[in-house]
């Protein structure tokens, strides 16, 4: 018989049996487990031990992978380069260009029968070059598309590399050889014993061997938002991709990878998604037809899919394991709508629409004027007859019109946005900001408020007990164990060791000089460190009381703010409780006094203890924790014990966790991170208000806020507790009222003893507030599972990379890989830099556009021709725009960015200062061009290029106009580097090699075009003198820029600022730079009903813009919605 590692190679259960087992739930699942002999027997059949786990030998693990599969799901193949090219071609501005190119090319090859006697016909050579215009536009489209697709391609590769890095870092607590190890989730195998706890995202399917108060959010699989109670005796099935919302436990892994429930769905999804998308397209077509017929049926969008949202009311399970999520955590229905577009996207969309309208109007006017002039001149004045060759003249006018439109549409804009964001995201990685949603990057630059957690973000999250109050003795150093009365000391050590998650431990550090490592919950580690400091071993106590022996565990959650564990004790039971001191002390009726005497704990004593011990500790910035206990005895009960005849009703928590005996109060220090006060000072200088939202008590919060610099002792800002906050913002019916919130948030700086709902309410209230004109843009930090709703509601959600739970990371936009507040300041700097880079590009682009469009328009009206030929305009438009976007979008951020106030939601994209620069430069450039156009030939003593016949050679006159325009544009690119009215436009010029390389490259290309462009570019070679004149007029823009800067901005009317406020919801079509997948709302084609799997719904939502932060597979659970947390 074949053996592996000294055990039979044949398992007692097959892969198929395990797969079928995991498809059942509740009582049916229990029956199947019992049919296999129960959980213990199943462990034997899989050759594993419920207490010691697997041996961990390589041979055994490899054999399990071969038989049951590995915990990997093959990733979705990346998009090919051609797919990305096709997606880039969908851009609206590019479609306009494509149409223009096709029209130009088609018309250039159109040859009407020529009338030789007509002098207006095109000669052969001109005919040869006509197609160049169409081709030039087409090449411009190809360049933009390839650059955009290449950008997307490199980003996709970057994010995939990032994903594999994150997946490698994502580990899970697995018991092997009776030791708890953190194992990468891809290495988990069937038969492993895993420890699961609050906030975990389960990496595989399994059955529970032991659990404490376990509640799981299965909405990613079932779409139901209620938390499901799990337990060995009623519903032991736990599934991969689901979130642990409360409690802890131990599970036996029964299915991994493609054999897990999530894996099965993913496999089916791959095969079915194409078919589904076809069906949805068909549905939408039918819906449109219905609408046209006037039948107002809501058939469009996602409503027509049976799997949308949580529409499973009629499928509710008969069992009672569903625990409705707390009502307060269910925000108004509006939260299910799409996340609003980012501030910049909204403004760009509006601006693009305005530019589009203006450009189209001028283009149409140009064509109309040219056609009318031609018709009047030819048919009325000269009284000619219609000839087919006149079509060429009309075509020429149309091409000028199309060119005006092409120049008016800033197609460099999507490129500038893409380049700037991609560049910033790459650099932000080095600053410990892992950006999950690209738009979060620039939104952060507009942030006006940051609501930050205290623990771990503002503080180091390395906690130690520094003060203790035991038997009426307050010690500011670790007390001597022998000085504590023996009975009290023993009970206290046992209470701390047993009543904390067994995943929390103190490990010796690899560096002998460093303090020991804290693994697990940091507050529990501080208490375990206190036990070690007293010279005792918590591990010995845990060996005497293994988790399997616990009668009941009430795990910590944000409502209880305490944790309690019941263990068997002398024929009865003992309950240990630890938690926030003011909450635990309210439940205490007894306390150990001087020399360990048991005393009644009266209300007066409580108040005195709070006043003399807890408040002073809190004012030192310490978190205070109380430890207490209660005995349930079958025999004669002492004063602080309870007599029982039968097992108490453990579900009656209020009566069980009551009349406790207080053992001790400890003060835990979590020092402020040394770099935080400076970071907060920078935020305040930058006009960003930092608010602290914490679960700690109000005195601790105030002390830390003062140490951080959020508060100054002289300030009259509000410091509220959650209760008081709710009283102020709710009306008589308990409903949150926006006008009441508006009275509180502007002055609020610290919100203490707050629940996750309070955090959500505050963030929502600030975002929706219209109390000020600027409107708030709010960033939020969070690490806990319950922070999910606030992180999703915020404009930018920051999750902690180290301390954050998987749920928090999934709800966030940016992950702080070092959990440090100062990294947020770097994110603000990068965000502002993105916004400014795009504003610089706009200032430059719009000057070029305004000048080119007006020159073409007035030229058409005055001399029936455009001084700038179509191909010349496209050179200015394409090359200068594309290259300028690259040059201006890659400027590095400077600390100066943090010295100005944030723009906020409603400030116009093009400020009055920028509009002053645009119009000022346009006036100068138009003056020079029109002077050269009308009197330049006389000034420079050259033949005039005006009123030339169609077949004429390119003239030096018009070449000088073109060259001067390009030189002015080039020098204006240097002006455009500053948008806040700074005088020194050369500052930092040589810190950006991309900028000066492109500038020099463009200048050299221009020399080649002028001297050797010939008919292709309609240019004639220039002499040295003429070149110097062009350079003189070009450099004049720098001097003129200084004069424009002198004009006070205050004098300019506000109407001249563009791109103000949010666009109307109807007009908010995804813009060129906007990836709809950045929204976390599933697309229609991403939702799938799969027969045979009850109500299993999922979302195929992994695009390059949304790297999976916590999954090992390419299938991503549907994100937790606000209503589900």
């Amino acid at each position: 018989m074949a053996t592996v590692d000294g055990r039979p190679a044949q398992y007692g259960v097959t892969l198929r049996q395990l797969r079928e087992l995991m498809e059942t739930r509740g009582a049916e699942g229990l029956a199947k487990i019992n049919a296999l002999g129960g959980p213990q027997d199943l462990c034997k059949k899989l050759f594993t031990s419920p207490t010691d786990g697997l041996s961990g030998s390589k041979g055994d693990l490899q054999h399990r992978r071969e038989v049951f599969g590995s915990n990997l799901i093959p990733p979705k193949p990346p998009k090919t380069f051609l797919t990305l090219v096709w997606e880039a071609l969908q851009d609206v501005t590019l479609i306009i260009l494509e149409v223009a190119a096709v029209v130009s090319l088609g018309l250039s090859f159109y040859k009407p029968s020529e009338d030789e006697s007509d002098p207006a016909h095109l000669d052969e050579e001109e005919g040869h070059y006509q197609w160049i215009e169409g081709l030039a536009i087409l090449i411009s489209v190809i360049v933009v598309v390839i650059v955009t697709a290449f950008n997307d391609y490199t980003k996709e590769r970057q994010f995939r590399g990032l994903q594999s890095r994150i997946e490698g870092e994502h580990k899970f607590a697995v018991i092997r050889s009776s030791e708890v190890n953190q194992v990468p989730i891809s290495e988990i195998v069937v038969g492993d014993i895993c420890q699961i706890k609050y906030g975990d995202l389960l990496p595989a399917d399994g059955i529970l061997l032991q659990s404490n108060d376990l509640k799981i959010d299965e909405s990613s699989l079932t779409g139901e938002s209620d938390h499901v109670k799990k337990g060995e005796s009623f519903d032991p099935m736990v599934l991969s991709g689901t979130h642990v919302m409360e409690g802890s436990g131990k599970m036996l892994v029964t299915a991994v990878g493609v054999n897990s429930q999530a894996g099965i769905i993913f496999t089916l999804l791959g095969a079915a998604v194409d078919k589904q998308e076809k069906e949805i397209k068909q549905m939408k077509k039918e819906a449109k037809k219905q609408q046209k017929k006037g039948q107002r049926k809501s058939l469009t969008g996602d409503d027509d899919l049976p799997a949308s949202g949580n529409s499973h009311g009629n499928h509710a399970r008969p069992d009672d394991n569903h625990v409705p999520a707390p009502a307060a955590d269910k925000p108004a229905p509006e939260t299910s709508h799409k996340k609003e577009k980012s501030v910049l996207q909204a403004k760009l969309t509006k601006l693009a629409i305005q530019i589009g309208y203006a450009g189209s109007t001028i283009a149409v006017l140009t064509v109309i004027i040219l056609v009318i002039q031609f018709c009047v001149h030819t048919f009325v004045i000269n009284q000619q007859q219609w000839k087919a060759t006149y079509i060429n003249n009309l075509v020429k006018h149309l091409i000028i019109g199309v060119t005006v439109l092409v120049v008016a549409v800033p197609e460099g804009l999507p490129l500038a946005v893409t380049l700037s964001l991609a560049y910033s995201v790459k650099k932000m990685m080095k600053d410990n900001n892992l950006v999950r949603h690209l738009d979060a990057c620039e939104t952060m630059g507009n942030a006006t408020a940051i609501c930050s957690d205290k623990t771990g973000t503002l503080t180091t999250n390395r906690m130690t007990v520094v003060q203790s109050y035991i038997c009426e003795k307050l010690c500011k150093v670790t007390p001597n164990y022998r000085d504590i009365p023996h009975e009290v000391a023993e009970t206290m050590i046992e209470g701390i060791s047993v009543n904390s998650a067994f995943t929390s431990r103190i490990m010796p550090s690899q560096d002998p000089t460093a303090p020991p490592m804290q693994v697990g919950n940091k507050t529990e580690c501080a208490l375990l460190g206190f036990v070690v400091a007293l010279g005792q071993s918590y591990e010995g106590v845990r060996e005497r009381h293994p988790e399997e022996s616990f009668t009941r565990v009430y795990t910590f959650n944000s409502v209880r703010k305490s944790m309690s564990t019941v263990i068997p004790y002398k024929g009865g039971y003992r309950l240990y409780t630890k938690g926030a001191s003011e909450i635990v002390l309210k439940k205490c009726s007894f306390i150990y006094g001087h020399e360990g005497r048991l005393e009644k704990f009266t209300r007066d004593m409580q108040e005195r203890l709070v006043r003399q011990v807890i408040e002073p500790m809190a004012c030192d910035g310490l978190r205070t924790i109380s430890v207490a206990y209660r005995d349930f005895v079958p025999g004669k009960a002492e004063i602080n014990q309870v007599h029982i005849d039968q097992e108490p009703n453990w579900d009656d928590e209020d009566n069980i966790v009551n009349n406790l005996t207080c053992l001790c109060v400890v003060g835990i220090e979590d020092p402020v991170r040394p770099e935080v006060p400076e970071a907060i000072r920078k935020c305040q200088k930058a006009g960003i208000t930092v608010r602290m939202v914490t679960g700690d008590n109000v005195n601790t919060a105030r002390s830390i806020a003062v140490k951080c610099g959020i508060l100054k002792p002289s300030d009259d800002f509000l410091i509220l507790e959650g209760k008081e906050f709710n009283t102020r913002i709710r009306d008589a019916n308990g409903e949150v009222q926006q006008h009441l919130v508006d009275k509180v948030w502007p002055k609020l700086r610290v919100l203490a003893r707050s629940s996750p709902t309070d955090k959500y309410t505050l963030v929502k209230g600030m975002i929706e507030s219209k109390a000020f004109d600027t409107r708030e843009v709010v960033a939020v930090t969070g690490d806990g599972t319950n922070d999910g709703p606030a992180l999703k509601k915020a404009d930018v959600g920051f999750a902690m990379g180290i301390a954050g739970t998987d749920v928090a990371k999934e709800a966030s936009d940016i992950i702080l890989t070092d959990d440090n507040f100062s990294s947020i300041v770097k994110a603000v700097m990068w965000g502002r830099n993105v916004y400014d880079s795009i504003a610089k590009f706009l200032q430059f682009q719009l000057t070029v556009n305004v000048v080119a469009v007006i020159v073409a328009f007035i030229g058409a009206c005055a001399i029936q021709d455009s001084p700038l030929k179509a191909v010349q305009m496209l050179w200015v438009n394409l090359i200068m725009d594309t290259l300028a976007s690259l040059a201006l979008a890659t400027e590095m951020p400077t600390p100066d960015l943090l010295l100005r106030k944030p723009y906020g939601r409603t400030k116009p994209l093009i400020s009055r200062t920028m509009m002053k620069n645009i119009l000022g430069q346009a006036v100068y450039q138009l003056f020079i061009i029109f002077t050269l156009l009308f009197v330049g030939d006389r000034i420079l003593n050259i033949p005039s290029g005006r009123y030339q016949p169609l077949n004429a050679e390119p003239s030096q006159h018009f070449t000088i106009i073109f060259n001067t325009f390009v030189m002015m544009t080039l020098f204006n690119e240097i002006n455009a580097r500053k948008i806040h009215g700074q005088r020194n436009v050369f500052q930092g010029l040589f810190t950006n090699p991309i900028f000066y390389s492109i500038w020099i490259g463009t200048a050299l290309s221009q020399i080649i075009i002028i001297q050797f462009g010939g008919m292709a570019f309609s240019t004639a070679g220039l002499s040295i003198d003429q070149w110097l004149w062009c350079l003189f007029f070009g450099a004049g823009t720098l001097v003129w820029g200084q004069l424009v800067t002198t004009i006070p901005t205050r004098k300019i009317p506000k109407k001249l600022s563009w791109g103000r406020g949010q666009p109307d919801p109807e007009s908010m079509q995804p813009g060129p730079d906007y990836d709809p997948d950045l929204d976390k709302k599933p697309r229609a084609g991403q939702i799938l009903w799969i027969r045979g799997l009850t109500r299993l719904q999922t979302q195929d939502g992994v695009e390059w813009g949304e790297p999976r932060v916590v999954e090992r597979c390419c299938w991503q659970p549907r994100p937790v919605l606000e209503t589900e947390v």
Side-chain angles (χ1 to χ4, degrees):
M1 185 176 161
T3 61
V4 175
D5 253 21
R7 57 143 177 100
Q10 183 72 40
Y11 295 96
V13 61
T14 66
L15 172 61
R16 184 177 179 153
Q17 282 175 303
L18 289 175
R19 264 180 76 148
E20 285 171 0
L21 172 66
M22 292 320 296
E23 282 176 14
T24 58
R25 303 277 181 283
E28 191 189 346
L30 268 176
K32 279 221 167 177
I33 292 172
N34 293 332
L36 291 167
Q40 302 298 324
D41 232 35
L42 193 55
C43 287
K44 282 180 190 157
K45 286 177 178 174
L46 288 168
F47 304 114
T48 185
S49 154
T51 50
D52 299 347
L54 298 175
S55 65
S57 76
K58 279 186 180 170
D60 179 37
L61 297 178
Q62 189 52 40
H63 184 256
R64 286 172 191 275
R65 280 192 200 102
E66 286 163 10
V67 177
F68 298 111
S70 61
N71 200 21
L72 284 169
I73 291 178
K76 179 184 169 189
K79 287 182 181 173
T80 62
F81 187 71
L82 285 175
T83 314
L84 293 168
V85 165
W86 174 246
E87 284 178 6
L89 280 167
Q90 311 302 309
D91 192 314
V92 184
T93 53
L94 294 184
I95 289 169
I96 293 175
L97 281 168
E98 288 157 24
V99 172
V102 173
V103 169
S104 298
L105 269 176
L107 294 176
S108 69
F109 292 121
Y110 174 72
K111 291 278 181 289
S113 55
E114 293 185 4
D115 183 346
E116 289 300 321
S117 63
D118 188 349
H121 82 270
L122 298 171
D123 74 355
E124 284 302 304
E125 198 175 7
E126 175 68 18
H128 284 164
Y129 288 110
Q130 256 208 319
W131 56 269
I132 287 178
E133 291 173 349
L135 191 66
I137 302 176
L138 216 52
I139 289 172
S140 76
V141 171
I142 290 164
V143 169
V144 174
V145 164
I146 286 174
V147 171
T148 311
F150 181 71
N151 255 314
D152 287 354
Y153 186 69
T154 51
K155 272 182 294 194
E156 177 148 4
R157 278 180 48 205
Q158 269 174 17
F159 276 113
R160 280 185 181 263
L162 202 58
Q163 263 164 243
S164 52
R165 202 193 94 186
I166 293 162
E167 283 165 7
E169 286 174 2
H170 186 214
K171 296 184 175 174
F172 209 79
V174 175
I175 300 172
R176 288 189 183 163
S177 306
S178 65
E179 280 188 11
V180 180
N181 298 306
Q182 294 294 320
V183 174
I185 48 179
S186 56
E187 291 176 22
I188 291 173
V189 294
V190 169
D192 260 325
I193 308 294
C194 294
Q195 287 189 344
I196 58 179
K197 64 182 188 306
Y198 158 87
D200 279 345
L201 177 89
L202 298 183
D205 292 355
I207 60 167
L208 289 173
L209 300 175
Q210 176 266 324
S211 68
N212 308 316
D213 204 16
L214 198 61
K215 287 178 193 157
I216 291 194
D217 173 11
E218 293 190 342
S219 61
S220 55
L221 288 179
T222 63
E224 295 182 14
S225 60
D226 290 348
H227 301 163
V228 185
K229 271 188 187 175
K230 296 282 180 180
E232 313 88 290
S233 55
F234 52 91
D235 187 359
M237 307 300 188
V238 286
L239 306 173
S240 63
T242 59
H243 292 107
V244 181
M245 301 308 283
E246 214 172 290
S248 60
K250 207 191 277 185
M251 77 168 187
L252 164 69
V253 175
T254 53
V256 294
V258 288
N259 297 307
S260 67
Q261 293 301 292
I264 293 168
I265 294 170
F266 179 72
T267 315
L268 291 172
L269 185 68
V273 84
D274 298 337
K275 185 183 168 195
Q276 185 76 359
E277 283 186 346
K278 277 180 194 167
E279 283 175 15
I280 283 155
K281 276 181 187 168
Q282 193 60 37
M283 278 176 161
K284 288 197 170 175
K285 275 183 190 169
E286 283 173 20
K288 278 179 184 166
K289 282 180 193 168
Q290 296 278 21
Q291 273 188 334
K292 282 177 186 171
K293 288 175 189 170
Q295 295 177 357
R296 299 246 173 233
K297 284 188 180 179
S298 159
L299 286 166
T300 49
D302 294 354
D303 301 342
D304 45 11
L305 289 175
S308 69
N310 298 328
S311 55
H312 305 293
N314 53 343
H315 300 294
R317 294 190 202 164
D319 64 28
D320 59 350
N321 295 349
H322 283 236
V323 185
D329 285 0
K330 294 196 176 184
E334 54 84 32
T335 50
S336 64
H337 291 192
K338 267 195 170 185
K339 203 172 184 180
E340 274 189 7
K341 282 173 103 177
S342 77
V343 181
L344 183 65
Q345 283 164 356
K347 290 177 181 177
L348 281 176
T349 307
K350 189 155 193 174
L351 189 67
I353 292 165
Q354 289 172 337
I355 292 173
Y357 285 152
S360 312
T361 310
I362 292 180
V364 171
L365 272 175
T366 310
V367 175
I368 290 171
I369 288 170
L370 283 169
V371 170
I372 289 173
Q373 276 188 336
F374 173 74
C375 293
V376 169
H377 193 264
T378 311
F379 302 124
V380 178
I381 299 171
N382 294 343
Q383 295 191 336
Q384 298 281 340
Q385 293 301 307
W386 169 259
K387 295 191 184 82
T389 46
Y390 289 144
I391 289 179
N392 274 320
N393 297 71
L394 298 177
V395 165
K396 186 105 175 167
H397 303 326
L398 183 63
I399 284 179
I400 289 175
V402 169
T403 311
V404 170
L405 180 61
V406 167
V407 172
V409 174
E411 81 286 350
L413 195 54
L415 190 63
V417 174
T418 310
L419 283 170
S420 193
L421 286 173
Y423 180 73
S424 301
V425 166
K426 199 172 170 185
K427 294 283 186 186
M428 283 169 80
M429 264 303 293
K430 292 177 182 162
D431 284 340
N432 303 309
N433 283 283
L434 167 52
V435 181
R436 293 185 70 227
H437 302 122
L438 274 186
D439 56 344
C441 171
E442 49 84 5
T443 308
M444 200 54 217
N446 288 299
T448 56
I450 298 173
C451 295
S452 174
D453 273 0
K454 174 181 77 71
T455 309
T457 314
L458 300 173
T459 59
T460 57
N461 206 15
R462 179 168 183 88
M463 303 203 190
T464 40
V465 173
V466 291
Q467 292 187 26
S468 60
Y469 178 81
I470 307 168
C471 300
E472 288 188 13
K473 244 192 204 170
L474 179 64
C475 296
K476 299 216 172 179
V477 290
T478 307
N480 191 325
Y481 185 72
R482 288 193 301 278
D483 295 345
I484 306 170
H486 183 68
E487 188 190 345
V488 177
E490 269 199 346
T491 313
M492 181 179 74
I493 299 294
E494 186 174 87
I496 291 172
S497 307
V498 168
N499 186 33
S500 54
F502 278 28
T503 48
S504 300
R505 346 192 265 294
I506 306 288
M507 309 275 283
S509 177
Q510 282 142 358
D511 176 5
T513 56
M517 285 192 326
Q518 298 184 335
V519 179
N521 181 294
K522 298 296 190 279
T523 308
E524 291 182 341
C525 287
L527 292 167
L528 296 173
F530 182 57
V531 171
V532 173
L534 289 169
Q536 303 302 303
S537 164
Y538 66 88
E539 284 154 329
V541 179
R542 285 180 172 183
E543 279 166 19
R544 289 200 300 279
H545 300 282
E547 277 186 289
E548 292 76 34
S549 68
F550 293 174
T551 308
R552 183 65 187 259
V553 177
Y554 304 97
T555 52
F556 179 89
N557 65 27
S558 56
V559 178
R560 288 191 186 113
K561 293 209 186 293
S562 66
M563 173 181 176
S564 308
T565 303
V566 182
I567 58 169
Y569 176 74
K570 295 183 179 174
Y573 304 95
R574 173 170 277 180
L575 167 110
Y576 284 115
T577 295
K578 70 163 193 305
S581 51
E582 60 265 49
I583 286 165
V584 172
L585 290 177
K586 277 180 188 159
K587 296 179 178 177
C588 288
S589 303
F590 305 92
I591 189 167
Y592 282 108
H594 192 56
E595 292 183 354
R597 278 198 308 275
L598 189 67
E599 296 174 6
K600 277 206 164 175
F601 193 39
T602 61
R603 179 60 57 83
D604 288 350
M605 285 171 76
Q606 270 190 40
E607 285 171 4
R608 196 166 69 247
L609 184 64
V610 167
R611 215 170 39 249
Q612 294 176 356
V613 177
I614 293 170
E615 282 183 1
M617 281 185 184
C619 290
D620 288 343
L622 306 184
R623 169 180 281 190
T624 58
I625 301 284
S626 295
V627 180
Y629 80 102
R630 186 186 192 188
D631 286 338
F632 300 85
V633 295
K636 183 172 179 293
E638 290 180 23
I639 184 170
N640 66 334
Q641 296 178 331
V642 187
H643 170 74
I644 51 164
D645 294 320
Q646 61 196 51
E647 188 168 348
N649 173 16
W650 300 118
D651 290 335
D652 183 8
E653 188 185 336
D654 290 345
N655 281 326
I656 297 289
V657 186
N658 213 337
N659 292 324
L660 308 172
T661 305
C662 178
L663 290 162
C664 67
V665 175
V666 294
I668 295 176
E669 182 181 48
D670 183 10
V672 170
R673 286 177 181 268
E675 62 276 18
V676 161
E678 176 57 26
I680 286 179
R681 199 159 49 249
K682 279 183 183 168
C683 280
Q684 289 165 343
K685 262 191 189 163
I688 302 168
T689 309
V690 182
R691 292 176 175 83
M692 183 202 289
V693 182
T694 176
D696 257 345
N697 90 36
V698 70
N699 291 319
T700 308
R702 182 188 285 115
S703 166
I704 298 287
V706 169
K707 285 179 186 171
C708 291
I710 291 173
L711 285 174
K712 294 181 182 64
S714 57
D715 290 342
D716 65 336
F717 290 124
L718 283 177
I719 302 171
L720 296 181
E721 284 199 336
K723 250 185 202 165
E724 167 74 358
F725 173 69
N726 276 298
T727 312
R728 290 191 183 203
I729 63 166
R730 292 177 190 272
D731 60 15
N733 303 324
E735 295 293 319
V736 176
Q737 294 296 336
Q738 186 62 47
H739 70 275
L740 295 174
V741 179
D742 288 347
K743 287 179 183 170
V744 175
W745 73 258
K747 295 205 86 175
L748 181 70
R749 288 296 175 274
V750 176
L751 184 58
R753 279 282 174 256
S754 65
S755 69
T757 317
D758 297 339
K759 191 174 189 174
Y760 175 84
T761 309
L762 174 65
V763 171
K764 182 169 180 281
M766 287 170 68
I767 289 174
E768 291 177 3
S769 170
K770 291 181 182 155
F772 300 100
D773 291 342
T774 50
R775 301 282 305 275
E776 294 290 295
V777 177
V778 185
V780 170
T781 70
D783 54 6
T785 302
N786 290 322
D787 289 331
L791 286 170
K792 283 177 76 88
K793 181 67 193 170
D795 293 293
V796 183
F798 285 91
M800 301 298 137
I802 303 165
T805 61
D806 299 342
V807 182
K809 289 176 185 171
E810 209 175 279
S812 69
D813 299 299
I814 297 179
I815 293 175
L816 295 177
T817 51
D818 62 347
D819 286 15
N820 194 334
F821 186 85
S822 59
S823 300
I824 297 177
V825 181
K826 289 174 185 160
V828 171
M829 203 155 81
W830 275 108
R832 289 188 175 189
N833 193 54
V834 168
Y835 198 98
D836 278 11
S837 296
I838 290 161
K840 287 171 190 175
F841 173 72
L842 270 175
Q843 178 174 304
F844 170 72
Q845 164 105 51
L846 291 177
T847 313
V848 178
N849 286 13
V850 166
V851 174
V853 169
I854 291 176
V855 167
F857 179 66
I858 292 183
C861 300
I863 60 166
Q864 289 80 55
D865 191 7
S866 171
L868 298 173
K869 299 292 176 279
V871 179
Q872 294 174 352
M873 280 212 220
L874 286 166
W875 156 245
V876 170
N877 189 52
L878 161 80
I879 309 297
M880 313 250 328
D881 284 1
T882 307
L883 294 178
S885 65
L886 189 61
L888 292 168
T890 52
E891 295 257 320
M892 290 292 283
T894 60
D896 294 354
L897 288 168
L898 294 175
L899 299 177
R900 64 166 174 80
K901 298 279 180 276
Y903 291 139
R905 258 179 226 283
T906 52
K907 191 174 166 68
L909 186 60
I910 297 174
S911 64
R912 287 189 289 175
T913 309
M914 286 166 65
M915 193 51 95
K916 177 180 76 177
N917 293 342
I918 292 169
L919 295 178
Q921 289 294 344
V923 165
Y924 171 80
Q925 294 189 16
L926 288 169
F927 174 76
I928 297 290
I929 287 173
F930 286 132
T931 305
L932 287 173
L933 177 62
F934 294 113
V935 293
D937 48 328
R938 295 202 292 280
I939 296 172
L940 298 171
N941 198 18
I942 49 174
S944 169
R946 295 188 301 279
Y947 306 113
Q948 292 278 322
L950 283 178
N951 58 354
E953 287 283 311
S955 66
Q956 275 193 331
H957 183 192
F958 275 25
T959 304
I960 288 175
I961 294 176
F962 168 53
N963 199 26
T964 304
F965 178 49
V966 171
M967 288 299 127
M968 290 192 293
T969 305
L970 265 178
F971 282 101
N972 192 39
E973 195 172 337
I974 298 173
N975 276 332
R977 293 183 62 250
K978 303 294 175 193
I979 53 171
H980 298 299
Q982 299 98 318
R983 284 206 176 273
N984 184 1
V985 291
F986 295 101
Q987 187 187 359
L989 180 69
F990 295 104
T991 58
N992 185 3
I994 299 177
F995 183 90
Y996 59 74
S997 313
I998 285 176
W999 198 91
I1000 293 165
T1002 315
L1004 292 173
S1005 308
Q1006 179 64 13
I1007 295 170
I1008 294 164
I1009 284 173
I1010 294 295
Q1011 298 305 112
F1012 310 105
M1015 282 301 278
F1017 279 92
S1018 305
T1019 58
L1022 300 180
S1023 67
I1024 294 287
D1025 283 0
Q1026 290 163 342
W1027 266 103
L1028 288 173
W1029 274 109
C1030 295
L1031 280 170
F1032 170 71
F1033 291 133
T1037 56
L1038 295 174
V1039 180
W1040 182 256
Q1042 296 299 312
L1043 290 173
V1044 171
T1045 307
T1046 314
I1047 301 167
T1049 308
R1050 290 190 308 279
K1051 298 279 170 68
I1052 293 166
K1054 279 193 176 174
K1055 283 183 183 170
L1056 281 179
S1057 52
W1058 263 25
R1060 178 184 291 279
Q1062 302 276 30
D1064 311 322
E1066 300 84 58
S1067 66
M1068 275 172 55
Q1069 296 303 320
D1073 58 306
Y1074 183 58
D1075 182 353
D1077 288 328
L1078 297 182
D1079 277 333
K1080 299 180 197 172
K1081 183 173 185 251
R1083 284 189 306 208
Q1086 294 170 322
I1087 301 173
L1088 183 64
W1089 270 100
I1090 298 162
R1091 282 171 297 180
L1093 293 170
T1094 43
R1095 305 181 315 285
L1096 288 179
Q1097 169 205 13
T1098 186
Q1099 171 195 1
D1100 172 22
V1102 180
E1103 297 290 329
W1104 64 264
E1106 188 174 2
R1108 290 163 293 105
V1109 175
V1110 288
E1111 274 77 57
R1112 65 193 158 16
C1113 60
C1114 207
W1115 164 82
Q1116 179 159 3
R1118 186 171 59 72
V1120 185
L1121 296 172
E1122 285 88 344
T1123 49
E1124 294 166 13
V1125 176

